[in-house]
Amino acid sequence: DDEPELDALTGPPEEVARIRRNWSQADQARRSERRHVPAPPIPAGPVQPRPDVVQPAASHFEAAYKKWDKLDTTAMELELDNEDRKPAEEADMMLRSDGGAVSMTAVNYKQDREEYEMDEELQARAKDMQAVVRAKMTRAWQNKESGDALSKKGQQSEALRNYLLGAQELEYCITARCIMAPGLSDKVRDAG
């Protein structure tokens, strides 16, 4: 082993320190050379072409978008809604009576797509109808209040015109009452 024994060195302290520094630097340089020895080259073998397995990004996204466009969310919602429901022949029946009108409705049964879409449309339109009914009832009430004020001032013909306008607003509400929720239907009944 050619490694110098650093602790066995004797002599003047400055000279010993300088020698130890030189030996230490030389030792570090040898270690560094050993770490950076390049790996032997690997002999190249025959080149085999690989088939192209990656689609270009544009066509990949285009295919994904087409798949998304074809996704039938209505069918998925219908499947979830029908999960624990009975066949139509075994449906439960619900009776509802309101002011002389009676209706019978099948509930808790498996719907087909047409029924499901119709129910979705009816729910959306029912919300619209509620807003329209509330607006018409508000205008009817305002016309009545205005008619009352005009009547107190002795302006009977103007009061009558306001009462008639209010009655016209209520006609729509009374016609739509049969398909309203019970609370709203009661308000219309009380106003009419």
Side-chain angles (χ1 to χ4, degrees), residues 7 16 21 30 44 53 138 155 159 171 178 182:
D7 291 332
V16 170
R21 259 194 320 274
R30 276 194 305 273
V53 293
T138 300
Q155 299 173 357
E171 272 184 45
C178 63

Side-chain angles (χ1 to χ4, degrees), residues 69-89:
D69 286 341
K70 291 179 183 178
L71 183 66
D72 189 355
T73 56
T74 301
M76 293 169 68
E77 289 173 10
L78 181 60
E79 184 179 334
L80 285 172
D81 281 356
N82 282 337
E83 205 166 71
D84 295 324
R85 293 187 175 183
K86 303 173 184 178
E89 305 81 42

Side-chain angles (χ1 to χ4, degrees), residues 143-155:
N143 283 316
K144 181 204 174 290
E145 292 292 311
S146 179
D148 289 348
L150 290 167
S151 180
K152 287 178 184 176
K153 292 179 183 177
Q155 299 173 357

Side-chain angles (χ1 to χ4, degrees), residues 35-103:
R35 275 186 262 154
H36 297 296
V37 174
I42 299 174
V47 176
Q48 296 180 352
R50 273 184 63 184
D52 215 7
V53 293
V54 178
Q55 297 178 352
S59 66
H60 174 71
F61 286 122
E62 188 176 309
Y65 284 129
K66 283 181 182 177
K67 186 177 180 182
W68 181 256
D69 286 341
K70 291 179 183 178
L71 183 66
D72 189 355
T73 56
T74 301
M76 293 169 68
E77 289 173 10
L78 181 60
E79 184 179 334
L80 285 172
D81 281 356
N82 282 337
E83 205 166 71
D84 295 324
R85 293 187 175 183
K86 303 173 184 178
E89 305 81 42
E90 300 171 20
D92 297 329
M93 302 305 279
M94 180 177 75
L95 291 173
R96 177 178 166 196
S97 115
D98 184 23
V102 176
S103 64

Side-chain angles (χ1 to χ4, degrees), residues 3 5 9 22 36-37 40 51 57-58 81 88 92 97-98 139 144 154 159 163 165 168 174 183-184 191:
E3 296 281 328
E5 187 66 42
L9 190 62
N22 285 340
H36 297 296
V37 174
D81 281 356
D92 297 329
S97 115
D98 184 23
R139 286 194 299 269
K144 181 204 174 290
Y163 291 142
L165 287 172
Q168 281 179 333
I174 292 168
L184 189 56

Side-chain angles (χ1 to χ4, degrees), residues 97-111:
S97 115
D98 184 23
V102 176
S103 64
M104 185 165 69
T105 307
V107 292
N108 199 26
Y109 70 98
K110 290 185 180 182
Q111 294 180 313

